[in-house]
Amino acid sequence: MPDGETRTTRAETRFGQGFLTDAWYLGALSGDLKPGKLNHVEMLGEPVMLGRSRGGELFALRDVCPHRAAPLSAGRFHRDAAGAETVACPYHGWRFRADGACAAIPSLTADQAMETERIRVRRYPVAESQGMVFVWMGASPASEPDHPAPAFPGVVGGAPKLVDRMVFEAHIDQAVVGLMDPAHGPYVHRQWWWRTAGSEHDKEKRFEPREQGFAMVRHAPSKNSRAYAILGGQPLTEITFRLPGLRWEHVTVGRRQVLSLTCLTPIDGARTRVTQIAWSDHPAFTLLKPVVGAMARTFLRQDAEMVELQNQGLKHDPALLWLDDADRQAKWYQALKREWLASRREGRAFVNPVEPATLRWRS
C-alpha cells in the first residue's frame, strides 16, 4: 500500500452509527418563530413542536398529544382568565404549559377530580443565540444542558445576508464528512469563479483543537479560490468544526468581517437538514447580494448531488479507504464522536482527542 494511505475497517468509516445526544442542535431561526404561532420540526427522529407565546416565551415540546397522538403543533394558544397561556391540542383541547405539564382537560366535569399535572409531554430545553434557536436534545427527558448554546465570531452587519436551507438525503455522519472534505473542490465545485480544470496545487494548513472540535487556523485563502477576490484587500480566514454538526468560516478583511455558518440537524437516520447562514458588514454583501447568494446556493446543491451519488455505493456497505492527510478531518470527526459518547457513558469530562497538526493535500 502506498505511503500515506490508510485502509480502515467498516466500523471506523461506516456512516449512520447513531446520533449524538446531550447536545445543542439548530431548530430554527428566531424569525421563524412568530409570537402566537406553533411550528413542527423533526430532530433526531423525534417530532418537536417549537413555539413562541404571545408573551414572547420560547419553548419546545414533543409534538404528540398523550391522549390520542394528535400533533400539538396543529393546535393553538389558549389564554385563561388569569392570562396564562397554554397550548391546546386540536383534537380534544387538552392544554399544556411550556414545561410540558397538562393544565386542563376540557372534557372533565366538575365532579371528576383528576391531577392533570401528572400528565406530561416531554419538554426540550431551548436557547436563543445570535438570532438562532437551539434545542437541547438530551439522552433522556430529564437531561438538562451542561454547557451554553453555541455562539459564533463574526455575527455582524445586522440580519443575515444569506439564509439557504435544504435537506440532504444522508445520515448526519455522511453530511459532516462531505462538507468538511478539503479535496473535492476541483471536481464537485468546478466553476469559473471558484476552481477551474488544472488549477489544483499543493496546500499546507495548520490545524489545532478547539472546543468540541478543531480549526484550520487563520491563514490567507488559497489563490485558486477565486471568489475571495470580491472582498478585495488581504482576506484572512479560519475554518472551524464543532460537534455535533457546526462548521463555520470566519473571514476578516481589515476591520470588515464575513461569517459563513453551516448547521447540520438530523431529521432521522437518512435525512439531514442543512442550514447555511452568512453575516457580513462588508459592502460586497450589499452590492453583490444576488450574486453571492447564487454562488452559495450552487455550492450547497452541488454537495447534495454528490451525496446522492455516494448513496449508490454506500448501500452496498463497502469498506472505505481514507487517506492521510486529506481525510484526517473525517477521522477527527469520528474520534470526536466516539469520545463524546464515551464521556457521557462514563460520566466524565469530554477530552478532545484532536492534536495540533500540519496537513498537506492537493486541490
Side-chain angles (χ1 to χ4, degrees):
M1 183 175 296
D3 291 342
E5 294 189 4
T6 305
R7 184 174 295 280
T8 55
T9 66
R10 283 186 175 86
E12 290 173 313
T13 60
R14 179 181 288 132
F15 296 119
Q17 294 299 294
F19 306 123
L20 292 187
T21 54
D22 291 335
W24 293 104
Y25 288 90
L26 181 71
L29 299 186
S30 295
D32 298 334
L33 305 181
K34 307 298 183 184
K37 300 295 183 181
L38 302 171
N39 299 262
H40 170 83
V41 296
E42 291 182 59
M43 303 176 68
L44 284 66
E46 289 293 321
V48 178
M49 178 188 69
L50 289 171
R52 194 190 300 275
S53 71
R54 293 183 181 89
E57 181 182 12
L58 187 66
F59 61 92
L61 301 176
R62 189 167 192 268
D63 199 13
V64 179
C65 179
H67 179 217
R68 296 282 187 86
L72 295 174
S73 61
R76 60 182 178 83
F77 278 99
H78 177 274
R79 191 189 301 271
D80 64 20
E85 289 185 278
T86 53
V87 174
C89 175
Y91 201 171
H92 298 90
W94 287 31
R95 300 199 292 271
F96 295 89
R97 297 198 302 257
D99 65 359
C102 182
I105 298 177
S107 63
L108 292 176
T109 61
D111 61 343
Q112 292 176 320
M114 183 175 182
E115 295 182 54
T116 59
E117 291 194 357
R118 296 180 63 182
I119 301 171
R120 305 186 70 88
V121 294
R122 179 171 180 173
R123 161 193 163 270
Y124 297 93
V126 291
E128 212 159 0
S129 175
Q130 299 174 305
M132 295 168 282
V133 176
F134 289 91
V135 182
W136 178 262
M137 300 301 290
S140 73
S143 174
E144 292 292 330
D146 57 10
H147 57 277
F152 307 95
V155 177
V156 295
K161 298 298 189 291
L162 167 73
V163 177
D164 191 20
R165 303 180 237 212
M166 68 179 306
V167 173
F168 279 16
E169 299 295 325
H171 187 278
I172 187 173
D173 286 356
Q174 184 182 348
V176 166
V177 168
L179 288 173
M180 68 170 52
D181 174 67
H184 72 282
Y187 308 98
V188 178
H189 302 304
R190 184 175 293 179
Q191 309 283 343
W192 69 264
W193 43 263
W194 186 248
R195 302 284 173 81
T196 57
S199 69
E200 300 98 318
H201 65 259
D202 291 352
K203 297 181 180 179
E204 181 175 288
K205 308 293 182 186
R206 291 191 304 112
F207 290 79
E208 60 187 33
R210 294 290 170 84
E211 182 180 8
Q212 300 172 19
F214 54 87
M216 181 191 297
V217 300
R218 196 163 296 281
H219 61 281
S222 300
K223 289 183 169 41
N224 64 342
S225 300
R226 298 180 176 183
Y228 289 101
I230 67 174
L231 301 177
Q234 296 179 324
L236 298 174
T237 184
E238 181 169 84
I239 302 173
T240 305
F241 172 79
R242 175 177 169 174
L243 291 176
L246 301 170
R247 179 194 183 276
W248 64 93
E249 180 172 3
H250 182 213
V251 183
T252 57
V253 188
R255 292 182 298 174
R256 301 293 189 180
Q257 301 182 69
V258 180
L259 176 67
S260 176
L261 170 66
T262 304
C263 301
L264 303 180
T265 302
I267 299 172
D268 51 34
R271 295 176 298 160
T272 300
R273 184 177 300 108
V274 183
T275 306
Q276 194 168 53
I277 317 166
W279 295 265
S280 183
D281 58 1
H282 195 289
F285 276 75
T286 300
L287 299 173
L288 300 174
K289 184 175 180 179
V291 175
V292 173
M295 290 163 62
R297 285 188 289 273
T298 296
F299 261 51
L300 197 57
R301 278 143 189 81
Q302 288 171 335
D303 284 322
E305 290 169 3
M306 184 52 60
V307 163
E308 293 184 9
L309 283 175
Q310 190 180 18
N311 285 337
Q312 297 179 25
L314 288 174
K315 68 183 180 182
H316 302 290
D317 194 25
L320 304 181
L321 181 65
W322 284 4
L323 311 179
D324 281 339
D325 291 346
D327 292 319
R328 184 81 64 86
Q329 293 177 72
K331 295 180 182 181
W332 280 339
Y333 168 66
Q334 297 286 40
L336 285 161
K337 188 176 177 182
R338 287 194 298 269
E339 167 58 18
W340 183 266
L341 294 170
S343 66
R344 294 286 158 166
R345 184 173 61 249
E346 297 165 10
R348 58 173 175 79
F350 173 82
V351 179
N352 194 325
V354 176
E355 296 183 353
T358 297
L359 306 183
R360 299 177 69 248
W361 65 87
R362 187 173 181 81
S363 68

